[in-house]
Structures are given as C-alpha cells and as structure tokens.
C-alpha cells in the first residue's frame, strides 16, 4: 500500500526506490571511475541506505565544491570489541580526517573521506566483519540500548535482544555486498522485482529508529524513538518489555505540520515476542506513513493522526495476538557515568567524557592516541553511549593504575567533577560537514559552555548540572527538544532557545526565545541563570524550574 492520492504525488525518493529496489543505482560504476569525484544526486539517495552521505566542505564553498563523504557504522547498543575499534581508528587516520565522531545513537562516523578512499574504507569495514548497511536511509537505524555495565544480572539479555532486533530488521538487498566487497555493478533491470520480505519494494516512507531502556535509567532517550522497549523485571529476571511507539524529534522552522513528538506507551510483551512486535510496528509505518511528503513521513505522524487505540488494534491484528497492558515503570535520570566504577562482576569500567562526541588529538589532549593505546595494550571492550561519550569496560583491577597513567600522559581527564554542566552537553556536527546546517553547533558549543560556566559562577552555582544540547538546525540530531536548555540554529549566529526538559527524559521542552544572536547570548543566559538561582525551590533542577516558572510566563504572554 502506498499512501498517495490523485492530488498528492509520491515523493521523488519513492520513485527512485520503486525503479531500483536493490538500491544499486550506478554506485559501483561511479565508484570505479577514477575521474569522478562525486555521485549523481539520485545515487546520493541510494548511498544513504549503504551508510554513506555525500557531502561537501562548506567552509570551502566559496572556492568551489570539495566533495567528501561521511560514513556511519552500524553498531548495535554501541558495543565494540577491541579489534573492531582498532579498525575504525586506523581507517579514520588513513582515509578520514583523523577523527572519530561518536554519534547520538551509539555509532561512529567518519568525516572528510574523499572518493578515492571510500571504496577501500568500506571494504575494510566489511573485511573486519562489520557493516554500515542501513545505518542511514528509509530503514531501521542503529538500535540503541543502555551501554553502562549495570548491576542487573540480566543486562546481557537486553543487549542480545537489541542485536537480534538489529539483524532482524536489516534489508536484504544484494547490492551492498556486490558494490562494497566485490566492486561489481549489478544490473538493475535483472533485479527490478526484488521484494524485500520486510520492506517490500519501496522500503519505508522514512527512517525508523528503535531503542531499549532499563528503568530507572533513560540514557537512550527512549521516548524520542519510533519503537521502544522498556525492560520490565521481576526479582533477578527480565520478564519482558513495555512497548512504546511514535516518538521523533525532527521538525522544520515555520512548518506547523512538523513537530517533535514523544512516544506513547502501547502495552506489554514477553521477550520471545520482540521480533514479531518490532516487525509489525515497522510494517505499519511501511503501509501507513505518508509517502508524498518526506517532512511528514515519520511513524510519529501516523500515531498523532490515527491515535493510540487505532494503532494497538492494527498492531494486534497483524500479530494475531493481544498485548498485555503495560506494566508500571518509572524513569528518573539519564546521562552517563564518568570516571572509574566497579562492575557487578568485579571488573572496572572507565567513563570518558568526549566533548561533542569528537575523538581526536589536540595539543593539550590526545584522546584518540590514549584510547588506542589502552585498547591495544589491554584489549578492553569499547562502548559508545547515546550521549556521544565512551566507556572502556571489563578492566581488571590490576590494570587500573596503568590506564590512569596512560590517560594522564595524554592529558585526558578521568574525572569530570570540575564542570558538571559541560559533562551533560551534546552538539550535532553541523558545519562544515552537514548540508542541512543553518548555524554552527559542534564548533560553537564548547565556547558557549565556557561562557555558561562563567555565568553559573557569577550566579554562585558553579557546580550546577544542566542538560544542554545544541543543533545547527531544527532536525534535532542531538535531541535538543529533550534538553533542560536547548539551542536550535535558525541562521548563522542565531539560535532559538528552548527550556524545560527534565532529567528523566520524559518531557519535551518549549521554545522560550527566538533567534537569539551570539552577541546577546551572555546577557540573555546570564539573566535566566540568575533568576534560576534566586527562584529555584530547594535543589530544584534548571529544567523543572523553567517548566514551573518560565512556561506559565510564555503562556500569559500568548507565546504558546
Ligand atoms: Fe540526524 C539528518 C547527523 C541523530 C534527526 N543527521 C542528518 C544528517 C545525515 C544530515 C543530512 O541528512 O544531510 C546529519 C549528518 C551530519 C554530519 O555531517 O555528520 C545527521 N543525526 C546525526 C548525528 C551524527 C548527530 C550527532 O550529533 O551524533 C546522529 C547520528 C545517529 C546515528 O548514529 O544513527 C543523528 N538525527 C539524529 C537524531 C537523534 C536520535 O536519533 O536519537 C534525530 C532526532 C530523532 C528523530 O529521528 O526524530 C535526527 N537527522 C534528523 C533529521 C530529521 C528527521 C525528521 O524526522 O524530519 C534529519 C533530516 C532528514 O532526515 O532529512 C537528519
Ligand atoms: Fe545537520 Fe541539523 Fe542534524 Fe545538526 S541537527 S547534524 S545541522 S541535520
């Protein structure tokens, strides 16, 4: 079923998929052409399904387009064996810009890869038995799950379910292997009738995102996902999951048909039902999502327009069984644990704050080299967090001192008590790589945090933690709409300021000020933070104070 009407035409991407259901385009042909520095626009759409974005360096646009590629891995739950991390690290140095970009969905992106490096990089990832398939595109993306070694003895079962889901929702196109491993251009005509058992011929109307969470921790921002599983346990046993459906954050400025939406809780299922339920939710998106308008094509709009009761009925009729009602659960916090902690099995893990998710070496901090040294020497497992940070896990007690020394030698802090506000930040990449950026984000936020640290100091609350997130446009890649204080780019040097998200990640924030200029940022934020210090009740958090005090002010000013 394709959702178009005589009045509304299918979007161009739908036509592309219909005509080339194996998503091969002319990719291999262009890849093998040494004179081509880029792919056609249509092939750019197919590339996404293979985990690749064609970009150009926006800093250099004035002197002509310099094409380069962003490649995103598929790393379920953000868990990486030491050997896999080493491959990423090597490839970033050899073919990328010598940085690894940890993403807000527990993956890694390479940036700045030129076309001659694309083929070798992709082959190396596959040779190491990893993949980038479906890291982007109209398919299920990287599946998230809590990465922090916890005390619950059943955590590994959540990771097993996350991996199972990641594999079960992969598309079956033969073109990925043909292009990136064999370098062969498949004949599209011969595969015109390819019909993926799950995705059909035309895949989903838009991207689809899934996550697992373990209450009371909501480190994955569960309610921002299309599909969510909330682990429910009894005693020492994981019994099943509550199902959440219909979250998503992307919106466009001045387009009221687009908005961030929190997922609804639908019901409860047992562990053995995860795959069936996930596939049925996904096919509801496939069959009912809007294929005429890509800005209105996410599953969240189906939920918003058809309602939860309709959705549950449709889901149960596809499943052939009824879900139980959802079990009680509560989220109370999000974020990562930094520094050294003991795991339930007696080993240790080290949580490292990675500013804006960028693993790199600078003069003062050689994070890339330090992590690599630890991974090389101790073979530790690397876990990526949904807040763009990194955990080194399963470290025996007798390696702790030596690892501390390696970190110290490279200027990498292993405690983050100095600035709680900095440790709770996220920024999307934005300029110069992202083609959609309206303003800076990754390059701007660290400096803004310096200024916010000063403001907090002046307000007499230097140790205050405020969850701050910034994006260079309203698509919401660093989930700014769940932050206590969010900044969303409107134009170069101008940001909308959002307030009122909460620590549990269960409340969307609201726009408080529009188009605040960089030059006015200190005064604006200074005033808000001063008021917060004066008006907060007890140890009320910034987000809760904003929702209690600033939201009603917005309402009475008629700004809602
Ligand atoms: Fe995103 C598009 C980066 C998580 C909503 N996102 C993009 C692109 C690919 C730009 C483009 O389409 O040309 C960005 C690449 C920039 C670059 O140079 O690297 C981009 N998104 C990212 C990452 C790397 C941000 C980060 O700081 O880590 C995240 C990669 C996650 C991953 O590993 O898979 C990333 N993007 C998100 C999230 C957060 C999440 O999923 O938890 C969201 C909001 C949640 C949601 O999906 O609703 C998000 N990205 C978008 C959207 C808006 C989609 C919509 O519903 O309208 C776009 C635009 C689009 O798809 O057309 C987008
Ligand atoms: Fe690009 Fe916008 Fe996503 Fe930032 S939020 S990475 S600017 S699409």
């Amino acid at each position: 079923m394709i959702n178009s009407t005589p009045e509304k035409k299918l979007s161009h991407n739908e036509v592309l998929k219909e005509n080339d259901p194996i998503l091969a385009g002319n990719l291999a042909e262009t890849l093998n052409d040494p004179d081509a520095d880029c792919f056609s626009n249509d092939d750019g759409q197919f590339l996404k399904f293979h985990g690749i974005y064609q970009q150009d360096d926006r800093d250099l646009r004035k002197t002509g387009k310099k094409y380069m590629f962003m490649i995103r891995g598929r790393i379920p739950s953000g868990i990486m064996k030491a050997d896999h991390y080493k491959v990423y690290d090597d490839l970033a140095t050899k073919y990328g810009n010598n940085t690894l970009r940890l993403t807000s969905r527990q993956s890694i992106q390479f940036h700045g890869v030129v076309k001659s490096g694309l083929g070798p990089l992709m082959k190396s990832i596959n040779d190491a038995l990893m993949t980038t398939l479906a890291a982007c595109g109209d398919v299920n993306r990287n599946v998230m799950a809590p990465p922090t070694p916890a005390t619950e003895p059943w955590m590994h079962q959540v990771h097993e379910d996350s991996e199972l889901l990641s594999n079960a929702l992969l598309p079956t196109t033969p073109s990925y292997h043909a292009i990136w491993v064999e370098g062969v251009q498949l004949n599209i005509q011969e595969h015109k009738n390819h019909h993926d058992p799950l995705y059909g011929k035309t895949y989903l109307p838009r991207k689809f995102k899934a996550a697992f969470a373990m209450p009371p921790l909501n480190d994955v921002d569960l309610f921002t996902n299309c599909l969510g599983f909330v682990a429910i346990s009894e005693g020492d046993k994981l019994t099943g999951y509550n199902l959440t459906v219909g979250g998503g954050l992307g919106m466009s400025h001045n387009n009221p048909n687009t908005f961030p939406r929190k997922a609804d809780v639908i019901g409860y299922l047992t562990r053995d039902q995860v795959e069936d339920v996930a596939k049925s939710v996904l096919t509801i998106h496939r069959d009912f999502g809007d294929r005429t308008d890509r800005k209105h094509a996410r599953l969240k709009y189906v939920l918003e327009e058809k309602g939860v009761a309709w959705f549950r009925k449709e889901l149960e009729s596809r499943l052939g069984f009824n879900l139980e009602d959802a079990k009680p659960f509560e989220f109370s916090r999000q974020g990562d644990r930094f520094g050294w902690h003991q795991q339930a099995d007696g080993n240790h893990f080290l949580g490292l704050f990675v500013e804006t998710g960028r693993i790199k070496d600078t003069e003062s901090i050689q994070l890339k080299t330090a992590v690599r040294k630890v991974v090389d020497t101790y073979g530790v497992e690397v876990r990526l967090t949904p807040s763009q940070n990194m955990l080194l896990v399963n470290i025996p007690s007798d390696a702790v001192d030596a690892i501390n020394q390696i970190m110290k030698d490279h200027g990498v802090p292993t405690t983050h008590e100095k600035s709680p506000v900095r440790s709770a930040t996220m920024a999307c990449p934005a300029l110069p790589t992202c083609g959609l950026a309206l303003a800076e984000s990754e390059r701007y936020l660290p400096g803004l945090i310096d200024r916010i640290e000063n403001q907090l100091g002046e307000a007499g609350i230097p140790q205050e933690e405020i969850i701050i997130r910034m994006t260079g446009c309203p698509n919401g890649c660093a989930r700014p709409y769940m932050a206590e204080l969010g900044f969303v780019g409107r134009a170069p040097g101008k940001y909308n300021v959002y307030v009122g998200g909460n620590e549990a990640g269960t409340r969307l924030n609201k726009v408080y000020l529009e188009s605040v200029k960089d030059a006015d940022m200190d005064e604006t934020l200074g005033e808000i933070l001063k008021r917060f210090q004066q008006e907060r009740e007890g140890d009320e958090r910034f987000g809760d104070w904003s929702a209690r005090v600033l939201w009603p002010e917005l309402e009475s000013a008629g700004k809602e």
Side-chain angles (χ1 to χ4, degrees):
M1 187 191 315
I2 286 184
N3 264 328
S4 69
T5 61
E7 305 82 56
K8 284 177 129 193
K9 270 179 36 196
L10 287 176
S11 66
H12 180 61
N13 291 55
E14 294 303 322
V15 180
L16 289 178
K17 291 181 277 182
E18 172 74 33
N19 292 336
D20 184 355
I22 56 164
L23 314 164
N26 288 320
L27 295 180
E29 210 172 290
T30 311
L31 186 71
N32 296 332
D33 175 356
D35 295 331
D37 64 349
C38 68
F39 295 81
S40 71
N41 285 343
D42 283 354
D43 277 357
Q45 298 306 318
F46 292 125
L47 273 179
K48 295 180 187 176
F49 290 82
H50 301 249
I52 302 163
Y53 270 76
Q54 177 159 293
Q55 304 181 319
D56 69 286
D57 187 333
R58 294 185 59 183
D59 284 346
L60 303 180
R61 271 197 188 164
K62 280 192 188 131
T63 52
K65 269 196 173 179
K66 184 195 169 226
Y67 286 102
M68 54 189 193
F69 298 86
M70 176 272 271
I71 296 104
R72 186 184 289 165
R74 187 176 182 89
I75 309 172
S77 315
I79 298 180
M80 298 182 91
K81 288 187 216 145
D83 285 349
H84 284 176
Y85 181 81
K86 287 186 214 172
V87 172
Y88 268 78
D89 186 67
D90 285 342
L91 293 175
T93 307
K94 197 163 174 195
Y95 300 112
N97 62 2
N98 202 23
T99 74
L100 292 161
R101 178 53 158 78
L102 309 188
T103 76
S104 56
R105 293 194 70 78
Q106 299 180 276
S107 184
I108 297 183
Q109 288 185 177
F110 301 97
H111 281 121
V113 177
V114 294
K115 191 175 146 271
S116 57
L118 182 60
L121 183 146
M122 291 291 286
K123 179 140 186 347
S124 303
I125 288 191
N126 282 277
D127 286 349
L129 302 182
M130 296 183 284
T131 188
T132 63
L133 175 62
C136 320
D138 298 343
V139 280
N140 177 54
R141 304 292 188 87
N142 203 38
V143 179
M144 292 210 279
T148 310
T151 43
E152 284 81 355
W154 42 265
M155 185 183 203
H156 67 282
Q157 293 180 315
V158 175
H159 290 154
E160 281 163 24
D161 291 344
S162 159
E163 192 161 357
L164 172 144
L165 193 69
S166 178
N167 291 331
L169 303 186
L170 272 177
T172 56
T173 169
S175 68
Y176 183 82
H177 192 267
I179 299 166
W180 308 110
V181 179
E182 295 165 357
V184 172
Q185 177 66 52
L186 293 180
N187 182 336
I188 300 167
Q189 292 312 317
E190 280 172 20
H191 295 273
K192 232 178 151 29
N193 296 323
H194 176 80
H195 198 273
D196 185 278
L198 187 60
Y199 292 101
K201 251 189 120 177
T202 50
Y203 299 82
L204 300 179
R206 207 62 164 86
K207 59 182 80 170
F208 184 89
K209 298 184 171 178
F212 289 78
M214 290 170 53
L217 182 64
N218 185 16
D219 52 354
V220 298
D221 252 333
L222 192 85
F223 291 107
T224 65
N225 284 270
C226 306
L227 168 65
F229 294 98
V230 183
I232 303 292
S233 60
E234 251 176 52
D236 271 0
K237 278 188 97 167
L238 172 67
T239 56
Y241 298 99
N242 282 344
L243 171 70
T244 63
V245 175
L249 297 182
M251 58 168 271
S252 303
H253 292 309
N254 305 323
N255 180 350
N257 285 334
T258 66
F259 43 84
R261 183 178 193 278
K262 254 175 35 177
D264 295 291
V265 180
I266 305 290
Y268 171 83
L269 56 132
T270 51
R271 272 192 80 199
D272 56 324
Q273 295 169 337
V274 165
E275 183 173 336
D276 286 346
V277 168
K279 286 183 169 171
S280 297
V281 171
L282 184 139
T283 58
I284 295 177
H285 183 209
R286 182 193 67 196
D287 297 341
F288 289 94
D290 183 350
R291 290 182 187 260
T292 66
D293 177 1
R294 286 182 69 78
K295 293 214 174 291
H296 185 256
R298 299 290 297 274
L299 178 62
K300 64 180 174 180
Y301 299 114
V302 177
L303 262 290
E304 184 69 18
E305 283 149 28
K306 291 189 178 286
V308 173
W310 173 89
F311 187 89
R312 182 162 172 169
K313 203 160 156 238
E314 178 66 29
L315 177 63
E316 289 174 343
S317 93
R318 285 174 189 235
L319 286 168
F321 62 83
N322 289 346
L323 297 178
E324 284 180 46
D325 285 341
K327 312 273 186 207
F329 72 100
E330 197 177 1
F331 289 129
S332 60
R333 62 194 166 84
Q334 55 177 288
D336 297 325
R337 292 178 73 189
F338 298 118
W340 286 99
H341 299 274
Q342 190 152 29
Q343 299 173 192
D345 62 4
N347 280 328
H348 302 262
F349 76 90
L350 174 62
L352 293 174
F353 168 63
V354 182
E355 189 152 39
T356 67
R358 187 70 66 177
I359 298 204
K360 61 183 177 189
D361 285 347
T362 65
E363 223 165 272
S364 52
I365 302 179
Q366 295 87 49
L367 179 61
K368 185 168 180 289
T369 302
V371 170
R372 179 59 191 263
K373 223 170 199 173
V374 172
V375 172
D376 275 343
T377 315
Y378 299 97
V380 300
E381 184 176 291
V382 172
R383 295 194 182 180
L384 315 173
T385 83
S387 297
Q388 303 170 337
N389 296 311
M390 169 181 263
L391 311 175
L392 303 177
V393 312
N394 300 332
I395 298 172
S397 303
D398 58 10
V400 170
D401 286 346
I403 291 177
N404 266 335
Q405 192 58 48
I406 293 176
M407 293 299 166
K408 201 167 160 216
D409 291 346
H410 293 86
V412 178
T414 51
T415 59
H416 298 277
E417 285 139 17
K418 253 204 218 144
S419 176
V421 72
R422 191 176 297 274
S423 321
T425 57
M426 271 211 277
C428 75
L431 294 161
T433 53
C434 178
L436 306 177
L438 304 172
E440 295 279 355
S441 179
E442 182 177 331
R443 297 193 295 197
Y444 179 74
L445 187 68
L448 183 66
I449 298 298
D450 291 343
R451 290 150 74 182
I452 290 175
E453 282 173 346
N454 283 342
Q455 308 279 4
L456 287 170
E458 274 171 30
I461 44 173
Q463 284 302 101
E464 195 63 30
E465 180 193 271
I466 301 176
I467 297 160
I468 299 180
R469 297 175 179 176
M470 170 173 277
T471 55
C473 87
N475 282 319
C477 296
R479 298 188 292 272
Y481 309 116
M482 302 304 286
E484 293 182 287
L485 180 57
F487 298 91
V488 174
R490 271 216 86 127
K494 285 188 189 165
Y495 297 86
N496 284 1
V497 178
Y498 286 73
V499 296
N502 63 351
E503 195 191 4
T506 55
R507 191 167 66 210
L508 283 166
N509 54 23
K510 293 184 182 177
V511 65
Y512 179 62
L513 293 166
E514 295 199 42
S515 291
V516 178
K517 290 193 199 120
D518 172 58
D520 299 332
M521 211 51 108
D522 287 341
E523 201 185 330
T524 308
L525 295 178
E527 268 171 34
I528 299 176
L529 293 173
K530 211 166 177 185
R531 275 191 66 190
F532 163 56
Q533 187 273 329
Q534 287 163 352
E535 298 171 22
R536 76 195 298 194
E537 290 176 350
D539 54 6
E540 190 176 31
R541 288 186 65 104
F542 179 80
D544 296 331
W545 169 78
S546 308
R548 180 174 64 79
V549 175
L550 299 183
W551 285 10
E553 290 177 8
L554 281 175
E555 210 173 325
S556 48
K559 287 194 182 159
E560 262 198 74

